[in-house]
Structure formats: structure tokens, C-alpha cells
Amino acid sequence: MSARLNKVTFLTVHSWVSNRQGGFHKFAEVCCSAGAEVVFFSFPRPYYSMFQHQELYNRKAIAALAKGIRYEVAGSTLTNVTLPTLKLPDVAGKRIPDAAADALERFSFGGLARFARRYLSGTDVFVIESCGAVVLFDFLKKRFPEAKFIYRPSDPLMYDGALRRRAKAEERVMLGADMSLIVNDEGLALYRRKIAQFDTRVRHELLPNGVDIAPYRKKHPVPELLRRENTVLYVGAWEVEWNLLFEAAARRRDFNYIVVCPNFPDGTTRNKIEGIPNLVYVPGIKPDDVPAWITNCDVVMVPYVTDFYKNRPLGITAKYYQAMAAGKPIVAYCDTSKLADAGVTVTYEYEDFMRAVEEAMRRHEVRYEFDPTSREWLRITQRFLEIARDL
């Protein structure tokens, strides 16, 4: 018989208010629905990031999270909190020993032990995302020996070329966790290559990310930016190949390229974007607005940085399933070749990408052959809940 969950703590880079349409938000919601108290521990939030002006990293947001923000979710209490630490930027962290960089990442003037007593005591299950929070695993494991640990690597940290101390920390988590829930076959293959005797040493299960299909099959009001002609849209969290888009916008001035991404381009890139009328950068939109943007553009693009996909085993991500559900032509640049099997045009050269966009613009709707039921969040979150209860 499955055990009752009284308290579940999620360690994730995101804040609850960002209300992402997947990942840890969905898992936290299902735990609340099951009657569990939930702590949404947003980490890391370095002291230096208080001087930034991004969605996750800014003085106002971090100060509010440091005090703890309480929400009522599905009849249960969810507390979103953070612990600012002396984490250094990765560039600076590379110049000191790994142990020292990790120690700074854990050190807070507020006190990690005090924070754990206040917010984490009584946790039945800790769920750790593949983010900087992996440096807290050893501390949590020692302080809460009765708790169970789930590792959820949406984006593996030990990819080729990764920060060495991150890869080492991820391996410690996977070897010590009670369960690792891996997102796709590409991630599984990576871990089997990187960790000796992975299948006998790491308890794991494949549990893909999901997607809410229904909103992408409905009609929505057209966002103002998409009232232009010939709109080519990217909505995502990974950086894009800006030089490709500069060339594409110059080649077809009658096409409007729109990039929605929380990763701010550098100043030089932003200045260049501002001088191109048919290339627009949007720092971000509300998650609830994403269906309106996807369903009202003419073409969905995913123009990743050149060769980014070779080191990042992301598989076919939710953004593709969203566009498929909306029946939109999709053109990808530098992503997995498995997209072709799903009916997506994937390119690896600038010229091929631009030609593919021109071809896609002539297609108003595309019928993709894929089964959305296996990707529905309801099914995936219920399986997550079963696993957490049975540990």
C-alpha cells in the first residue's frame, strides 16, 4: 500500500510565480492535490544576482523569496522560499578549487542549518532538479536521514564539456538518490556512457516531460506583435543563434522574426536587434499566454546555437509538441535528427534554415502523426505521485 505524503520539498531553479506549464510546477501541484504540504525551494539565488534585472534574478524577487511566500494550491499550503548564498559566477568559480566553489555556493549569511530547520524539517521526499541545487544533496542526506530523495534531470549536468564540479555533484546525487526519473532515451544513453555500471548502481525510470495539449487546439486572441504578416516565432528558454536570425531577417524583409526568451542577449546583440525592423526580441511572456502566441504565428522556429544539441541530450522537447498540437509548420536549426521522424524540418546550415522557413511559410497547417496521450501531464504526474509514495 502506498504511503501518505505529508511534506514534499522541491529544489528547483524556478520560482512558483513563474507558473511554468510543466516540470516541477506540475509535480508540486499533484502533491498539493494529494494533501501534502509543499516547499518550493528556489535555488540558487546568489547575492550578486540581486543586482541583475531578470525574471529569476533581481533584488525585489530574491528579497521576497528569502522571507518565504505562501500560496494555497489545490487546498494545501505551498511555500516558495530561497536562501541567498555566496555562489560565484561560473567563470570566477573555475579559478578556485572545486571544493571551495561548492562551499561558497552553500554558504549563506542566513545560515543553511537554520534555514533547513525552519523550512525543510518533516520533509518525507526531496525532489531535486538538475540545477545548482545538487550541491546541497550531501547536506540534506546527512541532516534528514529518514527522508527519500528523487532526482529529476530534465537537462543533464554531465554533458560533454560541462563544468566538472557540476558533473561530479550530479553523479553523487544519482548514486545516492532513491530514484532518478530520466526524461528521455538520449539522457539515459548519456548517463550510461558517463557512469560506470549505471544500470546496476542507479535506480531509475524513464518519465518524460508532458504537455497540455488542449490549449494548443483552441483559438486565442492574437497578440499585437503577431498581427504582422509572415510571423516566424521562437518561444523558449535556451539561447538562439542570433547571427542566423540577422541573416534571415536581412534576406526576407517581408518575414517578421520574433524571439521570446528570458535569456537576455548581450548589449551588442540587443543594439543590432533594435536596428532591424523585422527582428523582435521579447524578454518573456506569461506561461498562460504561450498558447495564444504559438497558435497565432505562421511558422514556429527553434534556432538553437550552432552544435548546441550535440552536448545537450534534450530529445524532442515540449515546445515541439505544443507546435504540433497547434498544427504549425516547424523549422529547427541544430537540434536532434529524431525531429525528422516526427515530421519536423530540422536543418544544420544557415542557408538550409532560411530556405526551410520560406517553404514553411507557404504551408498554413500541418498534420503531425503523434500520440498526445502519452505526453499528457495528468498521466505523467500521477505516475510521479505513485513513485514518490512507494519509495
Side-chain angles (χ1 to χ4, degrees):
M1 182 177 178
S2 297
R4 171 180 168 79
L5 294 176
N6 294 307
K7 184 173 180 178
V8 182
T9 294
F10 292 86
L11 288 84
T12 170
V13 72
H14 298 291
S15 302
W16 184 255
V17 73
S18 64
N19 192 27
R20 287 170 59 87
Q21 295 182 326
F24 276 33
H25 283 77
K26 294 292 187 182
F27 293 141
E29 286 173 359
V30 77
C31 289
C32 288
S33 297
E37 176 189 352
V38 169
V39 174
F40 212 69
F41 181 8
S42 301
F43 188 90
R45 295 295 186 275
Y47 288 113
Y48 73 79
S49 69
M50 290 184 175
F51 300 99
Q52 296 179 334
H53 302 283
Q54 300 184 25
E55 175 195 4
L56 300 180
Y57 306 111
N58 63 79
R59 184 186 300 273
K60 183 177 179 181
I62 294 173
L65 285 175
K67 296 177 182 177
I69 306 173
R70 292 168 68 89
Y71 300 88
E72 183 174 323
V73 179
S76 292
T77 299
L78 182 147
T79 303
N80 190 192
V81 68
T82 196
L83 179 71
T85 69
L86 281 175
K87 176 186 183 300
L88 298 175
D90 286 344
V91 172
K94 291 178 180 179
R95 299 174 182 172
I96 63 175
D98 290 350
D102 284 347
L104 287 173
E105 196 155 353
R106 290 188 295 266
F107 180 81
S108 172
F109 292 116
L112 179 56
R114 185 185 311 150
F115 174 89
R117 283 195 302 272
R118 180 176 181 184
Y119 290 107
L120 309 183
S121 294
T123 296
D124 298 309
V125 178
F126 287 92
V127 188
I128 303 176
E129 186 179 23
S130 48
C131 64
V134 292
V135 301
L136 301 178
F137 176 73
D138 294 332
F139 168 84
L140 295 173
K141 188 80 171 174
K142 183 176 180 179
R143 189 171 188 88
F144 302 102
E146 302 301 318
K148 301 297 183 181
F149 288 81
I150 295 174
Y151 182 52
R152 173 65 169 182
S154 298
D155 307 316
L157 299 177
M158 59 177 68
Y159 60 89
D160 295 334
L163 196 63
R164 182 183 61 180
R165 66 185 184 89
R166 278 281 182 270
K168 290 165 61 178
E170 181 176 46
E171 182 170 359
R172 289 198 302 274
V173 173
M174 298 192 88
L175 293 175
D178 298 280
M179 174 65 78
S180 291
L181 298 177
I182 300 170
V183 171
N184 55 40
D185 290 327
E186 290 87 350
L188 181 58
L190 173 74
Y191 291 126
R192 284 174 170 162
R193 178 164 59 88
K194 293 286 188 176
I195 300 178
Q197 298 177 323
F198 174 84
D199 287 295
T200 58
R201 300 173 68 199
V202 177
R203 186 182 176 193
H204 62 277
E205 180 174 321
L206 280 174
L207 187 68
N209 279 329
V211 60
D212 290 321
I213 298 295
Y216 297 91
R217 292 182 168 168
K218 297 179 180 178
K219 290 189 177 298
H220 300 272
V222 182
E224 184 176 350
L225 271 177
L226 295 177
R227 293 172 188 167
R228 303 180 177 196
E229 297 292 326
N230 303 322
T231 52
V232 189
L233 173 70
Y234 169 75
V235 179
W238 293 109
E239 295 180 6
V240 302
E241 179 80 353
W242 283 109
N243 287 333
L244 166 63
L245 299 184
F246 293 151
E247 290 193 21
R251 171 165 163 159
R252 290 298 301 259
R253 298 189 183 279
D254 56 330
F255 287 7
N256 287 285
Y257 288 86
I258 302 168
V259 174
V260 179
C261 180
N263 289 323
F264 282 70
D266 59 48
T268 301
T269 301
R270 288 200 303 272
N271 289 338
K272 191 167 184 179
I273 294 168
E274 290 173 1
I276 304 174
N278 61 324
L279 177 59
V280 181
Y281 168 68
V282 180
I285 57 177
K286 294 179 180 179
D288 289 344
D289 292 338
V290 173
W293 285 67
I294 296 295
T295 56
N296 284 299
C297 70
D298 293 304
V299 175
V300 170
M301 64 173 175
V302 185
Y304 285 149
V305 172
T306 298
D307 290 341
F308 165 85
Y309 75 106
K310 291 182 178 179
N311 289 341
R312 294 282 190 171
L314 303 181
I316 300 178
T317 55
K319 64 172 64 66
Y320 289 108
Y321 290 109
Q322 292 167 351
M324 289 181 198
K328 294 297 175 180
I330 309 169
V331 179
Y333 173 76
C334 276
D335 206 343
T336 174
S337 58
K338 287 188 175 181
L339 288 164
D341 297 333
V344 174
T345 301
V346 56
T347 63
Y348 301 93
E349 301 290 340
Y350 280 19
E351 180 66 25
D352 292 340
F353 173 84
M354 290 184 283
R355 280 203 304 263
V357 170
E358 292 170 357
E359 173 62 28
M361 196 61 73
R362 293 191 281 270
R363 306 167 69 191
H364 298 289
E365 187 173 351
V366 181
R367 295 183 63 87
Y368 295 94
E369 297 295 331
F370 80 106
D371 178 14
T373 58
S374 64
R375 290 283 179 168
E376 285 284 6
W377 271 119
L378 178 61
R379 176 179 298 197
I380 292 167
T381 53
Q382 287 302 314
R383 179 56 190 149
F384 169 84
L385 190 59
E386 291 172 5
I387 291 168
R389 284 171 165 168
D390 290 342
L391 287 177

